[in-house]
């Protein structure tokens, strides 16, 4: 039994363990393991805290995104309503402008017709006076002719104008 290698390996192992216990290797190893466990626990706690913070940030981002989308939809709806209002207003102004222009043009046409009618009447009166003057001067002679001619011309002018 004392000469078997397994026995001496067991004795060396026990001696090594006693030396480790005397030197404090077990305490050092256990404290190192405890420190590592504490560090890992702190990292896990930090990871959990960061996950919660990330969840809050994500929820906040989603809320902001939803708010921005609602605001964008409201802006688009307002812009469409404003565009429709401006288009209706422009159409109304255009119709009003066309109506005023039509009335102005009709007024100018009526004025031009009246002026043309007055010009035609004046030309007709002048032609009638000229014709009467020529006829009377050929048929009547002397002072009576001149008086009749002047009187007739004045009457014709008064009646035609």
């Amino acid at each position: 039994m004392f000469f078997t290698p397994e026995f001496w390996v067991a004795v060396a192992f026990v001696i090594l363990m006693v030396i480790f216990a005397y030197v404090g290797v077990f305490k050092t190893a256990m404290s190192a393991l405890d420190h590592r466990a504490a560090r890992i626990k702190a990292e896990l706690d930090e990871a959990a805290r960061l996950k919660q913070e990330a969840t809050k940030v994500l929820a906040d981002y989603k809320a902001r995104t939803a708010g921005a989308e609602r605001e964008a939809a409201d802006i688009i709806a307002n812009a469409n309503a404003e565009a429709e209002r401006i288009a209706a207003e422009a159409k109304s102004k255009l119709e009003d402008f066309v109506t005023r222009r039509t009335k102005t043009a009709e007024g100018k046409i009526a004025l031009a017709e009246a002026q043309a009618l007055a010009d035609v009447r004046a030309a007709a009166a002048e032609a009638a006076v000229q014709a009467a003057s020529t006829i009377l001067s050929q048929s009547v002679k002397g002072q009576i002719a001149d008086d009749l001619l002047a009187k007739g011309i004045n009457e014709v002018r008064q009646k035609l104008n």
Side-chain angles (χ1 to χ4, degrees):
M1 166 160 142
F2 289 118
F3 296 108
T4 62
E6 289 85 13
F7 172 76
W8 290 110
V9 168
V11 170
F13 180 74
V14 170
I15 293 172
L16 182 65
M17 289 298 135
V18 171
I19 292 173
F20 280 169
Y22 180 73
V23 173
V25 171
F26 293 120
K27 286 183 181 178
T28 306
M30 288 309 235
S31 68
L33 289 175
D34 288 342
H35 286 333
R36 183 165 185 207
R39 191 181 70 221
I40 290 172
K41 183 178 181 328
E43 288 177 359
L44 287 175
D45 291 342
E46 178 70 14
R49 187 188 62 78
L50 289 175
K51 181 181 177 185
Q52 288 176 346
E53 187 177 318
T55 304
K56 287 179 185 177
V57 169
L58 179 63
D60 184 46
Y61 173 75
K62 286 181 180 180
R64 285 185 183 181
T65 302
E69 287 175 356
R70 281 192 305 272
E71 186 176 337
D74 290 344
I75 289 171
I76 290 170
N78 289 338
N80 286 336
E82 184 69 15
E84 288 175 5
R85 186 191 62 78
I86 289 171
E89 186 177 309
K91 182 179 178 184
S92 173
K93 285 183 180 180
L94 180 64
E95 288 173 355
D96 185 44
F97 176 74
V98 168
T99 302
R100 282 187 282 128
R101 285 296 211 176
T102 302
K103 286 181 181 178
T104 303
E106 288 172 351
K108 286 182 179 181
I109 289 170
L111 184 64
E113 286 176 351
Q115 183 64 38
L117 187 59
D119 289 346
V120 168
R121 282 186 181 169
E126 190 64 35
V129 168
Q130 198 65 30
S133 173
T134 304
I135 291 173
L136 287 176
S137 65
Q138 289 175 359
S139 55
V140 179
K141 303 266 185 208
Q143 181 62 29
I144 296 172
D146 290 337
D147 289 339
L148 281 175
L149 184 62
K151 185 178 173 185
I153 290 172
N154 285 333
E155 285 180 13
V156 170
R157 281 188 180 154
Q158 287 176 358
K159 289 183 181 179
L160 292 177
N161 286 331

